Amino acid sequence: MKKLFSVLFLALTLSMGVSLVSCGDDKDEPDAPKTQSLESVESENEAHFVFDIDVNKDSSSIFIYNVKFSERMPVTVNIRIDAPCKADKTGKIFTFAGTDIIPYLLSGTPKPMPSYLVTNLTSTVNTDNKSFSISFDANGGHYEKAGKLK
């Protein structure tokens, strides 16, 4: 009889443990992806942006195509800026920020360009309303742009 009560008690304990373990977090919305690539809606002859976000890494990348930082630049360039990126609580708004960042010129193999040192970078990407803004100083000029994402 003692063995029967012991077995029943053990079965009851195990079933309660399984039921407690199976209780989960009841979130209404799924977690936002930790990595994503977002592209701007470009118009002809304007800069085009791709935001490669990976909040699991120390930095994410902003690719800017067809850009001039200042009037002194004779041609447009394609660059990549690597900077830390943080997500807000909702996982829908991402903020890049940094200073003294050496961008990479995208022409064949990416080449570091210390002469185009990027300072005072702030960029916000909002995946909820599909918009972005970016502002930084480089090559003796200030660059600022806002736009829509695809």
Side-chain angles (χ1 to χ4, degrees):
M1 188 74 158
K2 264 186 169 180
K3 279 189 177 182
L4 180 63
F5 282 121
S6 294
V7 170
L8 288 173
F9 180 73
L10 183 60
L12 179 65
T13 304
L14 286 174
S15 66
M16 287 179 66
V18 169
S19 68
L20 291 176
V21 170
S22 66
C23 290
D25 190 8
D26 296 333
K27 289 184 180 178
D28 291 337
E29 295 182 24
D31 289 338
K34 300 291 184 207
T35 62
Q36 51 190 314
S37 185
L38 304 159
E39 195 172 340
S40 68
V41 176
E42 69 277 356
S43 60
E44 204 169 310
N45 299 325
E46 285 192 344
H48 175 75
F49 299 83
V50 175
F51 299 90
D52 268 347
I53 298 169
D54 188 345
V55 294
N56 296 319
K57 291 176 152 181
D58 289 339
S59 68
S60 293
S61 299
I62 302 171
F63 293 85
I64 309 174
Y65 301 96
N66 196 31
V67 66
K68 272 187 172 184
F69 304 133
S70 70
E71 293 303 316
R72 297 184 329 177
M73 291 181 67
V75 296
T76 62
V77 293
N78 301 327
I79 65 164
R80 182 186 85 211
I81 301 170
D82 298 330
C85 182
K86 305 262 188 233
D88 73 344
K89 288 187 236 182
T90 67
K92 296 179 181 177
I93 299 174
F94 298 90
T95 304
F96 292 83
T99 195
D100 297 332
I101 301 166
I102 296 173
Y104 287 82
L105 181 66
L106 302 176
S107 178
T109 302
K111 178 182 173 188
M113 297 297 294
S115 61
Y116 290 155
L117 190 68
V118 172
T119 58
N120 305 316
L121 170 71
T122 57
S123 179
T124 303
V125 176
N126 187 325
T127 60
D128 202 28
N129 69 11
K130 296 192 178 280
S131 66
F132 74 92
S133 65
I134 188 169
S135 171
F136 60 88
D137 299 316
N139 199 37
H142 178 75
Y143 186 81
E144 202 165 321
K145 180 80 174 166
K148 291 290 182 185
L149 299 169
K150 289 183 180 179

